[in-house]
Amino acid sequence: MGAAGVVLIIAVVLIVAAVVAYLLSVIVALRRITAGLDDAIAGVVEIIDKSAPVNEIVTDINRTLDAGVDLLEGLLVSKAGLSDAMGLIEGLYPGAAAQGLRNFPDSAEIRAPRISEVYTRGTLTLARLGREAPVAAASPNGPALRNAAYGSSAARTLYPEGRPGHAPSLPRSPVIGTDSPVRYDPAEKVGGPRRRAATGTTTEES
Amino acid sequence: MILEWIGDAVLIVVVLPIVVYLLRGVLGAATGIVASVERIAAAARAGSADLDAAPLLLTTRERVVQTIEAAADYGGSLDVILDDQREP
């Protein structure tokens, strides 16, 4: 074998060695890819399993909330009228009246009366009770509506001279029972005018 | 003899670099896929962990039903207590 043959063998060996080295690296990479895909598939399967009932539950929740919205919107409009209802909504949630009521498409075009300026703040506070009770708790839109510690001071202003006392003399409480001085005939119809029993005595007599 | 040397030269100068180039390309692509797959697997695990709270939707559904029922009871009482708005 000549020198050329030796060089040929060396070249072939080099090529084969390069092919083997790179193919081994590729095999290792492919194994890592397989492992990674297994992890990814497991995660995706978990996601699918966990999210399977979400659609049904959320749809059910939305259906229930829709029924609640229909109920409350209908009740508010039937009791307050569409115009005042929008004014009340605007007073409680400024800017909400522009969106209108879902079941009353015309409500968005109504010019809401300024109920928050016509009625006192206390009226709106009462209206807010359902959302922000207890009233003294921090409102999501600002400070508490009522001072819990000194809330009674406002009521005291109704009696600037002090709390009025009771009358000098009050009628005595009636005596009840079988020995009561005034007795009525139990056979008489309940709710009708009642007459005293014949054996009874009047209060003045006693 | 000269042809053998020419063949050796072609083998070493042309064939070997081409083989190495092609194999490096395949290895580079496979290595890049490994990183992408690992990121996908991490994202899938994180997404699955985020959905651990999904069963709480059952509680939410029950609470919503209870709330709407309470509102319906309240509304029913108001409907009885308050008269409807009279149209002018």
Side-chain angles (χ1 to χ4, degrees):
Chain A
M1 180 182 293
V6 174
V7 171
L8 176 63
I9 292 173
I10 293 173
V12 170
V13 168
L14 281 177
I15 292 173
V16 170
V19 168
V20 168
Y22 278 108
L23 285 182
L24 285 176
S25 299
V26 169
I27 288 171
V28 172
L30 289 177
R31 285 185 180 278
R32 292 176 62 188
I33 290 171
T34 302
L37 284 177
D38 288 341
D39 287 346
I41 290 172
V44 170
V45 169
E46 279 188 17
I47 290 174
I48 293 173
D49 290 342
K50 291 178 180 176
S51 61
V54 168
N55 190 29
E56 176 191 356
I57 294 174
V58 170
T59 302
D60 195 14
I61 290 174
N62 281 337
R63 189 185 309 118
T64 306
L65 291 176
D66 286 343
V69 170
D70 295 344
L71 166 73
L72 295 178
E73 280 189 356
L75 182 66
L76 179 61
V77 172
S78 65
K79 297 305 176 186
L82 187 56
S83 178
D84 284 354
M86 300 311 297
L88 184 62
I89 292 173
E90 182 68 18
L92 291 172
Y93 310 102
Q99 300 177 6
L101 299 178
R102 194 177 60 185
N103 293 329
F104 300 90
D106 297 338
S107 59
E109 302 171 359
I110 290 179
R111 184 177 180 182
R114 294 177 294 181
I115 291 181
S116 60
E117 299 178 15
V118 174
Y119 293 121
T120 63
R121 188 172 180 81
T123 303
L124 291 179
T125 300
L126 290 175
R128 277 177 170 167
L129 277 175
R131 184 173 67 97
E132 296 177 357
V135 182
S139 167
N141 296 326
L145 298 175
R146 183 175 68 84
N147 190 320
Y150 301 100
S152 61
S153 61
R156 289 199 198 102
T157 59
L158 296 173
Y159 305 100
E161 303 298 330
R163 185 177 180 180
H166 57 76
S169 62
L170 295 174
R172 297 177 60 85
S173 299
V175 178
I176 61 175
T178 55
D179 297 334
S180 64
V182 178
R183 284 182 290 172
Y184 298 93
D185 186 359
E188 293 181 1
K189 182 180 179 182
V190 176
R194 311 194 69 178
R195 292 174 299 178
R196 292 173 180 168
T199 56
T201 57
T202 62
T203 305
E204 289 75 11
E205 292 171 352
S206 62
Chain B
M1 191 64 181
I2 294 175
L3 287 178
E4 288 182 0
W5 281 110
I6 291 174
D8 291 345
V10 168
L11 203 60
I12 294 174
V13 175
V14 177
V15 175
L16 182 60
I18 289 176
V19 168
V20 170
Y21 175 77
L22 293 177
L23 288 176
R24 283 191 65 182
V26 172
L27 181 61
T31 306
I33 292 175
V34 169
S36 299
V37 167
E38 287 177 349
R39 283 200 300 270
I40 291 172
R45 282 194 299 269
S48 177
D50 288 342
L51 285 174
D52 284 344
L56 290 176
L57 280 174
L58 293 171
T59 306
T60 303
R61 179 171 63 180
E62 294 175 6
R63 295 292 182 269
V64 166
V65 169
Q66 292 172 0
T67 303
I68 295 301
E69 286 177 350
D73 292 341
Y74 184 67
S77 301
L78 277 182
D79 194 25
V80 173
I81 295 171
L82 300 177
D83 292 332
D84 286 347
Q85 165 75 10
R86 293 179 181 174
E87 295 298 333

